[in-house]
Amino acid sequence: MTAERFIIDDREKNLFRVNREAFTSEDVLQRERREIFGKTWLYVGHESEIPGKNDFQTRDVGGRPVIFNRDRHGDVRVLLNTCLHRGSSVCRHSSGNAKIFTCFYHGWAYRNSGELVNVPGNEDYKSEPAAVYKGLQSPPQVDSYRGLYFVNFDPDAPDLLTFLGEARYFIDLAADQSPEGVAILEGTHKYSLKANWKLLVENSIDGYHAKSVHHTYFEMMMELGATPPMLGQDTVNGVAPAGMGTEFPNGHATLMYPANGLPLATDSVKQTLAGLRSQAEQAFGENYANAMFGLARNSVFFPSLILIDLSFGLTLRTFYPVSASETLVTGWQIIPKGVDEEFVKYRIDNALTFWGPAGLATPDDVEALEQAQKGFGARGEVGWSDVSKGMGKPVPAANDELQMRSWWREWNRRITGEQLPTEGTSFVPFDKQGVDA
């Protein structure tokens, strides 16, 4: 496919297409591993997941096993989870508390700050191992924003704040929802799908599919007398025309739409949310609080960090390719600190019944994406996917596809070196004093 283009971006015809080889080629996947997952900022975890000294979480990040931990001094670290001796994992648990990580294979031991401290049979080495092998390695760059920790395996990549740019505003809108901050709830959703990882990127910021794919959920909510999210008056396929899509540099993008209440929430839950909104108004101004609690948001931070911020739940999701046709997904729920148990239970219930692997939304999405991957078997005859909806509009709606095109242009730049211009849309955020920034 080297002689062909991956992207058709025709501004005269308002036509945007993606070559389906991008979803099926193992050669493309290898380039992605090198040029994207090896050179961009990747999410590792939130500081609330390791609250105490010696706490740790193990993760796979961009194909690398890592330990996300606080060392014995309380400093946050990210260590590559591979023994310097013969490569085995030095930590085989998903989470816990440990001062020392010991390789199960031959017993080499490391402090949780990385230093090699014990080698069984050390006297048999003519060179002292602790002098030759300084300790567990860390990615060249580790940084955080609002409690979210990221790594970059490219020492020459721009810093995290530069990479996030203006899109970090949508992280702020999540992080500012309580005066005490936010935390990741204990528990993780892990599941896989037999589809290319980029299909899940598209799906996560796609307002066009909501009513058709998730009709069972919408019907159930309406039968129970609740207003489903994204379904109010004057909607088009489940998304209000008042919503909009946005594009940012570096492939980040967001779709926004009016938040239509709290399905099946008790009065207590509604009062808690109203209290959080009132506190935000006092701290940051009415406009910023309206953006925080009056707009629902699906954001992607390139390449595969998704933040879905709805009134009934706040989901953080990341995913990486296993192969060109399989993806491993990990998801967490974020909760404002200081809320009561009933509010937490409400959010957990929604996390399970809507976003969970056996919920009302995720299986629908998985089926849609796996059907798309299956359809790519006919790519020799039908070789291109269309991502043109809303192209040429002055203000693309939330159920248009600007946000996907923004992401694809960055993907294309990193894979081919071709720099395609943005569509020139602008987003003016509200600052934290309630004044248009």
Side-chain angles (χ1 to χ4, degrees), residues 7-25:
I7 301 294
I8 293 174
D9 189 357
D10 190 330
R11 303 303 171 90
E12 291 185 4
K13 295 180 180 178
N14 290 319
L15 181 69
F16 193 98
R17 290 181 174 175
V18 177
N19 194 306
R20 291 179 176 179
E21 285 288 330
F23 299 99
T24 61
S25 167

Side-chain angles (χ1 to χ4, degrees), residues 11-232:
R11 303 303 171 90
E12 291 185 4
K13 295 180 180 178
N14 290 319
L15 181 69
F16 193 98
R17 290 181 174 175
V18 177
N19 194 306
R20 291 179 176 179
E21 285 288 330
F23 299 99
T24 61
S25 167
E26 288 294 334
D27 177 65
V28 168
L29 175 60
Q30 293 310 311
R31 280 190 258 178
E32 290 171 341
R33 293 191 192 282
R34 182 176 64 251
E35 301 299 331
I36 294 178
F37 298 113
K39 295 184 179 180
T40 194
W41 286 93
L42 306 174
Y43 175 71
V44 178
H46 189 267
E47 62 185 5
S48 63
E49 297 180 272
I50 47 171
K53 291 181 180 180
N54 308 314
D55 287 344
F56 69 85
Q57 300 277 342
T58 55
R59 301 270 155 84
D60 285 326
V61 178
R64 282 90 162 171
V66 303
I67 305 169
F68 174 52
N69 73 300
R70 286 188 192 272
D71 65 20
R72 64 193 186 281
H73 304 297
D75 296 328
V76 175
R77 295 182 179 270
V78 180
L79 305 170
L80 293 175
N81 191 6
T82 178
C83 184
L84 300 172
H85 177 222
R86 300 274 283 281
S88 290
S89 300
V90 299
C91 182
R92 297 184 294 153
H93 300 283
S94 60
S95 62
N97 185 280
K99 294 180 180 179
I100 298 290
F101 298 122
T102 302
C103 178
F104 145 83
Y105 196 5
H106 296 97
W108 286 33
Y110 306 82
R111 289 195 185 99
N112 58 14
S113 48
E115 299 89 354
L116 177 62
V117 293
N118 185 58
V119 174
N122 184 62
E123 64 278 3
D124 297 327
Y125 290 88
K126 290 189 175 181
S127 296
E128 172 66 39
V132 176
Y133 304 106
K134 299 300 182 183
L136 297 176
Q137 299 298 300
S138 293
Q141 297 196 64
V142 178
D143 204 351
S144 66
Y145 183 73
R146 302 304 303 270
L148 301 175
Y149 274 80
F150 297 78
V151 297
N152 197 314
F153 296 101
D154 179 5
D156 300 319
D159 65 83
L160 177 63
L161 286 183
T162 299
F163 173 71
L164 291 174
E166 293 180 352
R168 65 181 183 267
Y169 174 77
F170 294 97
I171 298 176
D172 291 339
L173 287 176
D176 287 331
Q177 289 183 15
S178 167
E180 300 175 40
V182 296
I184 299 288
L185 283 174
E186 187 176 355
T188 304
H189 281 146
K190 289 187 178 181
Y191 58 96
S192 62
L193 58 148
K194 294 183 179 180
N196 187 271
W197 69 281
K198 297 183 291 297
L199 283 172
L200 186 54
V201 172
E202 292 183 341
N203 173 265
S204 299
I205 50 171
D206 178 6
Y208 191 23
H209 79 283
K211 184 69 183 302
S212 55
V213 171
H214 302 305
H215 62 88
T216 301
Y217 175 77
F218 284 84
E219 291 171 358
M220 185 189 78
M221 289 292 104
M222 294 178 72
E223 287 178 3
L224 292 171
T227 300
M230 301 171 66
L231 188 61

Side-chain angles (χ1 to χ4, degrees), residues 282-311:
Q282 294 176 24
F284 307 121
E286 183 177 359
N287 287 343
Y288 187 74
N290 285 342
M292 188 184 299
F293 293 104
L295 290 175
R297 302 170 295 278
N298 291 43
S299 304
V300 59
F301 301 92
F302 190 91
S304 60
L305 174 62
I306 306 296
L307 184 61
I308 303 176
D309 192 349
L310 310 180
S311 56

